[in-house]
Amino acid sequence: MITRIDKLQIELPMPDGPDANGAAAVQELLGGKFGEMSTLNNYMFQSFAFRQKRKLKPFYDLVASITAEEFGHVELVSNTINLMIYGTTFPGDPDVTPMQNAKDKRNSYHFIDTAQTAKPFDSMGAGWNGADYVFNSGNLVLDLLHNFFLECGARTHKMRVYEMTDNPVAREMIGYLLVRGGVHVMAYAKALEIATGVDITKMLPIPSLDNSHFETTRKFEAEGVHRKLYTFSAKDYKDVVKIWKGTHPEDGGKLEVIQGTPQGGPIPDLPPIPESFAPGISQEDFMEIAKRLQRSAGI
Amino acid sequence: MITRIDKLQIELPMPDGPDANGAAAVQELLGGKFGEMSTLNNYMFQSFAFRQKRKLKPFYDLVASITAEEFGHVELVSNTINLMIYGTTFPGDPDVTPMQNAKDKRNSYHFIDTAQTAKPFDSMGAGWNGADYVFNSGNLVLDLLHNFFLECGARTHKMRVYEMTDNPVAREMIGYLLVRGGVHVMAYAKALEIATGVDITKMLPIPSLDNSHFETTRKFEAEGVHRKLYTFSAKDYKDVVKIWKGTHPEDGGKLEVIQGTPQGGPIPDLPPIPESFAPGISQEDFMEIAKRLQRSAGI
Amino acid sequence: MITRIDKLQIELPMPDGPDANGAAAVQELLGGKFGEMSTLNNYMFQSFAFRQKRKLKPFYDLVASITAEEFGHVELVSNTINLMIYGTTFPGDPDVTPMQNAKDKRNSYHFIDTAQTAKPFDSMGAGWNGADYVFNSGNLVLDLLHNFFLECGARTHKMRVYEMTDNPVAREMIGYLLVRGGVHVMAYAKALEIATGVDITKMLPIPSLDNSHFETTRKFEAEGVHRKLYTFSAKDYKDVVKIWKGTHPEDGGKLEVIQGTPQGGPIPDLPPIPESFAPGISQEDFMEIAKRLQRSAGI
Amino acid sequence: MITRIDKLQIELPMPDGPDANGAAAVQELLGGKFGEMSTLNNYMFQSFAFRQKRKLKPFYDLVASITAEEFGHVELVSNTINLMIYGTTFPGDPDVTPMQNAKDKRNSYHFIDTAQTAKPFDSMGAGWNGADYVFNSGNLVLDLLHNFFLECGARTHKMRVYEMTDNPVAREMIGYLLVRGGVHVMAYAKALEIATGVDITKMLPIPSLDNSHFETTRKFEAEGVHRKLYTFSAKDYKDVVKIWKGTHPEDGGKLEVIQGTPQGGPIPDLPPIPESFAPGISQEDFMEIAKRLQRSAGI
Amino acid sequence: MITRIDKLQIELPMPDGPDANGAAAVQELLGGKFGEMSTLNNYMFQSFAFRQKRKLKPFYDLVASITAEEFGHVELVSNTINLMIYGTTFPGDPDVTPMQNAKDKRNSYHFIDTAQTAKPFDSMGAGWNGADYVFNSGNLVLDLLHNFFLECGARTHKMRVYEMTDNPVAREMIGYLLVRGGVHVMAYAKALEIATGVDITKMLPIPSLDNSHFETTRKFEAEGVHRKLYTFSAKDYKDVVKIWKGTHPEDGGKLEVIQGTPQGGPIPDLPPIPESFAPGISQEDFMEIAKRLQRSAGI
Amino acid sequence: MITRIDKLQIELPMPDGPDANGAAAVQELLGGKFGEMSTLNNYMFQSFAFRQKRKLKPFYDLVASITAEEFGHVELVSNTINLMIYGTTFPGDPDVTPMQNAKDKRNSYHFIDTAQTAKPFDSMGAGWNGADYVFNSGNLVLDLLHNFFLECGARTHKMRVYEMTDNPVAREMIGYLLVRGGVHVMAYAKALEIATGVDITKMLPIPSLDNSHFETTRKFEAEGVHRKLYTFSAKDYKDVVKIWKGTHPEDGGKLEVIQGTPQGGPIPDLPPIPESFAPGISQEDFMEIAKRLQRSAGI
């Protein structure tokens, strides 16, 4: 089970203008093979399918708790996309062609299918696929190796999308996720070391450019975000502490496990887009709704 | 953000024997177009994309909190599948063909790809697809109408799978989800009524056979589970109370909103399947791992 | 069985110039999840699978006859796309790169795969899919509810594409289909009302902007097209009259059933595109063909 | 445009018992790459996209009119599947597991997704796909060559499915379609001969086993069905007579064009399947519906 | 089995500048339904599945040896794409957005997924698909007919892409492949003639524009490349000589079979793209690698 | 470029009877995500896309030469499937239903689409997919890490399929491929060690059950097959010797590079299947063909 908190893991800045093609690129980080839907669902299904959860509890706790963090990453990337597209079209009567600017944008689903928001597909609009994008062999070492590889692949994609757009929302989000991805890749490397005796943290980072080269990672690293592993649980998954311990190889700082979640930031409230009929509630409708909300409260 | 609790929403019974083809059918309820991955992700992406969250808070709260419940449904269906397959194969040296019984089963991915556990595909092995199975128009009325329809479709599939297998785990899970699905379909009907003035709860149930015809729903309804809407949040989404109120049309009982989650039951610990190399940790390996867990604790 | 008439349901105007990206967007209305291929095939397969056709004849007749109208909608959207692309490239020797303007267009299939004409894929080129896009539960109420929802979703997509392009062909076609879609959504609403007693016509229109806001719908509504349901059959499907009756909720005009089809307009003859090798018949070839047509006539 | 006639192209016999796996195989002839959905949509989209329809009218008329016949083939194959599955399950309370026999059948979509009826997917459940299965190059010779090949491939699949099941419905349907497919392959061969001067009718039949080896084709050939090309139109497509003329290479009989359609047979009325909730209308509901049909007639 | 030679079939020129959208179009010739992956895999799987290889050796040898040539075509198209994309982005620190020019390009996979190189997908990014794009009926005549059609379709796509870009690499590659495709289509036509007695070489070329209209084919035809069939084997597949013989219909030159391969040209060495982290080996890393290569040589 | 040799890498035994469901399972090793089509195409496209081939020649040579070996693996798995299916059906007139035994088999494509032979799809019939199954990041370390993981995943799948069937052909093929896969995983591990300094050969084998537990691997290991890396080239790719050297960790034997290929075994000649119309050449046809082969030889 989960409980939900109405916050993002960090506060997102506003973009300085519409950037629909940037948003199309960011979709790869959401619904692509190496996007956050993949990390979420890989770890989620691995945690459901974990054999001998009790005997191998530190490993189970690791996979299960990172699952919960990934939910928040899906949320962050989605909110980023939603913010980036806004402003591409303008309000107006249908006959003035208020969505004319959308016609040449790279992702038409953003304008025809959704009201200018994210869905789980990739940068070319191909749907996230549960059969092809989830790996869940049940073999502990192989699953950890996969997860280590997946995080490195995801890091590569994030770095490349960062280089494609200087949109401040995209960069803030990617900066944060590079730091958190760095934690996850190291956590899986440590788990692999414990499971097999081979220390592959020495391969890191992959690609070899480290996070400090990305402006928006630096403030998070300055806050020590790269040394913290959250359990994302009030009481469970405590044995991650048996894996996430020691010091950080880059700065020698002490690794720490935080029971619970980061403090987080507000979820942006998205303005209406009348030309997309979203949410499509007129002031008149709203007055009726308000009445019905009250009336039905009276029952 | 979410936090995770290491429990299922209910306790699952053990199956009385392996039922791999039954598990193959249950996959439709996990990764099919009307499976729990669909309800989870439809509501999740609708909640991310919700425009004017503040102004329309009761609706946002409804969609956002049901999202959280659906995570637990995905978990329940997955655990059911995992329990049902167990026992199809037997331990033994590869040369004795220990997985010979798997060759004629309907879903080969369960035996070759996973270690006899669930993945997000449907009853024919087709992957859950984010572009085709998520609806997120941004228009409030249309999204609510979709969700109402989706829940009715999901109910139909559950009823049919129930009729295909008398496996006790499958039936317990489906019985519970029929009750919870009944809550959701009524909640979306009420939301639609508030948004449009049209009371479509009068169409329910669709199909017209009511839940009392399913043995495993009766005990949950006797406990009043069909009258409760959980917020699945410690503090947020309280405005669902503006929608979920009044009395239940079937028994006249008072509808209530529970802040938080149901009490839940234990997550089953899955035994090893050596012939699937899962988790693939020998006793010898385990001793080494134990040492490394401790040693590295010493750092 | 069907018989075919070599006419479109309406006459289409010529575009005022090539609009390949507009055509790419219009593809969503042809091969997208809510496109005309979906309405055609949903109703077609529902009509084939209808149980108790005799007992429930008015419902069967409704679904079966609307199927026939949808064939003509597929035809209208396809012809619109074919007209919109024309003129993007120019005739010439391959070495002068006569299709250079196509390189940056959104849908490359239009230029490499077809000779600048429509195929059943969506606005991103994803193929129309029979397993995912056809709903056919066999439960009458659920299928009607689905069809009501499908028509509302299709309406939303049409409205958004209308707002993306002011191309006169696209607008004429969409204007007409908004009117006809309005008939279908009301027809399914009436059928649902008869099947369940719940009047959901009161939810309409979804989205709430009515057709009169679209210039090209107005002339069709002035002609009363929004009040007519055609049987699209010489003799069958007459019981639709038991569902389509009464008055129109917007203008109070009398609803009427027309046995047969609308009068229709001519099918545009498409000019050759030599640089696409379409039809690829030189004048010399044509003379030979003419001879063979005659000669073989002589046999 | 089309008009629809509430008849099948031939009368289908009843099966002598349920044959769900046979029906699963027959799905290949409906939604497979070489199934009737493919012939229907290939010719439909080619007819829409035909360039220089007037100048090349005999060819256009051929493709356009065969399109209309293929609609009826889709209908025949679908009805066959619907008849073959019936009887696999039995009516009963959900708790008696009335669909238990469905669990081991090859196509679970027939039991979970539909009410034991056809949908446009193939023998493994893969959806018919508009981007991959429609060929529409716009080059007349290439399109005719494709159609000739497509019909030969479709014939091969039909022959193999015939050999897999001796179900009388399946055999009647396949017998008829082998005869009609034989007409189409010869018609495209003749069109190619006229377009290029090369007589490829001499390659036929492909595969080389001729239709007389299939019991259910013999009666249709005895009736001369193999020599008739129908226009499937009251008034249009008359120029097919410029292509379909001369004598049949096998029996020397005169080829003839029939303006209109074959006489046809009744569409089977499918019985209810209560355990599938299809149509899901109880006697009580039906009385209410009858009242509403009348009452609303009174408005 | 195969052996590999570190050469391309011809030498490729350098492009005169980056042409990412041209490369996106060329992807159709690699991973599209009619791309080189399709010709390679169709003939490969047909050769594996060939029944009565000994009795029908000339046909087997033909299909098996053309398979080997197609590997080299896949290689040529891939190298062309790799060369065309280069230069779109520029080296630089991530914060200067060095891949900003990629954001608006048609194929984002080239920039996010690969390091600006080819993968087996088509011009819209849809993956090459083994179930849908390989035809392998096992019937000799039908397979030959398919291959004849496939080569004509592939020729059409190549001609259209040629017309979309005047990029010198693309044109050189297409010019060569039009010539080689011309050999293959004629070879399959001859094989069909031997198998059935029908001479379909008279239909060629399809489309009817002959190769001499493409500047880059002329030099290859001047060298007689259009008259040579290579066995692509040191010792096997010699019986192709029983099919590939006689004179060329266009210029009357003598057809010849070459045992082995063309002479070929060098494989381009691709420069590093630091902003893509490819190959991602710094000078420092390289020194370490060099040491390890030597050291480990010492073991 | 490649040259082809008309041999398999080893000689395959004959199966002792038909095993169509076993063949269906083996399809996972051909067209599944971890099948031989994936290893072939991953290394093939990585070799095409390799940046700085000269500077990093040992790595390029490794990936390029293993590509060539994988072609032979695809061939071995395909031939195994072809042999396993044979005998499921029987010859006979269509009316005796000669393919009746196929109706209940797991993979209907084997009987309807092919003439009982392999195609590039997986054990559930899902097509091999070039966009999703090829990884080609261009980053040397990440690509090597991927290949190491891919080989471990492929090994897992092979081990599980081995346990599902004791069919002698399947076991011989899997036994050999487990040995060769062992060579490849170690080769990539060594390459990674040279590239990064981290020795991950110590993780091997993954899963931890070593090859000696599989009867059919033992004879190949006895022959030293596990210590040999072939260049699969007459003259190129010699620098693999800089990576593949030292001693084997399991038996201490000396690793050796073989310039060229293994000796190989004969390709099985597949008997005709008349009921599948394959090859579909009657004795009469054959006499005509023989004449045409000679006659045309006379030109």
Side-chain angles (χ1 to χ4, degrees), chain C residues 23 27 30 78 81-82 85 89 99 102 107-121 270 273 275-278, chain D residues 45-46 49-51 130-131 134-139 142-143, chain E residues 28 34 123 153 156-157 160-161 163-164:
Chain C
Q27 281 280 162
L30 175 62
S78 297
I81 291 166
N82 299 349
I85 305 174
T89 61
M99 290 175 61
N107 192 309
S108 51
Y109 296 155
H110 282 156
F111 298 97
I112 306 177
D113 186 28
T114 71
Q116 314 196 12
T117 57
K119 260 184 61 171
F121 47 64
L270 303 171
I273 305 189
E275 65 275 24
S276 286
F277 321 109
Chain D
F45 282 95
Q46 286 177 18
F50 206 101
R51 294 193 169 278
V134 172
F135 185 80
N136 180 11
S137 75
N139 180 276
L142 187 55
D143 285 353
Chain E
E28 192 73 28
F34 291 87
S123 64
T156 309
H157 284 201
R160 288 172 177 170
V161 172
E163 294 180 318
M164 288 168 72

Side-chain angles (χ1 to χ4, degrees), chain D residues 6-28:
Chain D
D6 202 37
K7 278 188 170 179
L8 296 182
Q9 290 176 355
I10 55 167
E11 178 162 7
L12 289 174
M14 287 298 108
D16 36 23
D19 184 11
N21 282 1
V26 173
Q27 282 280 162
E28 191 74 26

Side-chain angles (χ1 to χ4, degrees), chain E residues 1-9 30 37 40-41 43-45 47-56 58-60 63-65 67-69 71-72 74-75 78-79 82 86 109 113-121 125-132 134-141 193-197 232-234 236-237 242-243 245-247 261-264 267-273 276-281 283 286 288-289 292-299, chain F residues 1-9 30 37 40-41 43-45 47-56 58-60 63-65 67-69 71-72 74-75 78-79 82 86 109 113-121 125-132 134-141 193-197 232-234 236-237 242-243 245-247 261-264 267-273 276-281 283 286 288-289 292-299:
Chain E
M1 285 195 288
I2 61 167
T3 63
R4 192 168 180 183
I5 300 168
D6 202 39
K7 278 185 169 181
L8 296 182
Q9 290 176 357
L30 176 62
M37 280 293 285
L40 169 61
N41 284 284
Y43 308 152
M44 183 163 90
F45 281 96
S47 70
F48 296 161
F50 205 101
R51 295 194 169 278
Q52 299 194 290
K53 294 181 182 73
R54 274 179 224 137
K55 188 169 184 182
L56 297 163
F59 300 99
Y60 170 68
V63 173
S65 63
T67 301
E69 175 159 5
F71 183 100
V74 171
E75 195 174 20
S78 297
N79 272 274
N82 299 349
Y86 186 72
Y109 296 155
D113 186 29
T114 71
Q116 313 194 13
T117 58
K119 261 186 59 170
F121 46 65
W128 184 85
N129 186 296
D132 289 337
V134 172
F135 184 80
N136 180 12
S137 75
N139 180 276
L140 179 62
V141 173
E193 193 275 328
I194 291 169
T196 68
F232 279 93
S233 183
D236 298 313
Y237 314 122
K242 296 190 180 169
I243 293 171
K245 63 193 168 188
T247 55
T261 71
Q263 183 144 2
I267 291 179
D269 196 11
L270 304 171
I273 304 189
S276 286
F277 321 110
I281 303 296
Q283 192 51 28
F286 184 71
E288 286 300 313
I289 287 172
R292 285 189 215 106
L293 281 168
Q294 284 181 315
R295 182 190 56 201
S296 95
I299 295 175
Chain F
M1 285 195 289
I2 62 167
T3 63
R4 193 166 178 184
I5 300 168
D6 202 38
K7 278 187 169 180
L8 296 182
Q9 290 176 357
L30 176 61
M37 279 293 285
L40 168 61
N41 284 285
Y43 309 153
M44 183 164 89
F45 282 95
S47 70
F48 296 159
F50 205 101
R51 295 192 168 281
Q52 299 193 293
K53 295 180 181 74
R54 275 179 224 137
K55 188 169 183 181
L56 297 163
F59 300 100
Y60 170 68
V63 173
S65 63
T67 301
E69 176 159 4
F71 182 101
V74 171
E75 195 174 20
S78 296
N79 272 276
N82 299 349
Y86 187 72
Y109 296 155
D113 187 28
T114 71
Q116 313 196 13
T117 57
K119 261 185 60 170
F121 46 64
W128 184 85
N129 186 297
D132 289 338
V134 171
F135 185 80
N136 180 12
S137 76
N139 181 275
L140 179 63
V141 173
E193 193 275 327
I194 291 169
T196 68
F232 280 92
S233 183
D236 298 313
Y237 314 122
K242 295 192 179 167
I243 293 172
K245 62 192 167 187
T247 56
T261 73
Q263 183 143 3
I267 289 180
D269 196 10
L270 302 173
I273 304 189
S276 286
F277 321 108
I281 303 297
Q283 192 51 28
F286 184 70
E288 288 299 313
I289 287 172
R292 285 190 214 105
L293 281 167
Q294 282 179 317
R295 182 190 55 199
S296 94
I299 295 176

Side-chain angles (χ1 to χ4, degrees), chain D residues 234-256:
Chain D
K235 295 186 295 189
D236 298 313
Y237 315 122
K238 296 189 171 179
D239 274 10
V240 294
V241 79
K242 296 191 179 168
I243 293 172
W244 189 255
K245 61 193 168 187
T247 55
H248 197 282
E250 282 175 24
D251 63 9
K254 193 168 181 306
L255 302 183
E256 53 179 330

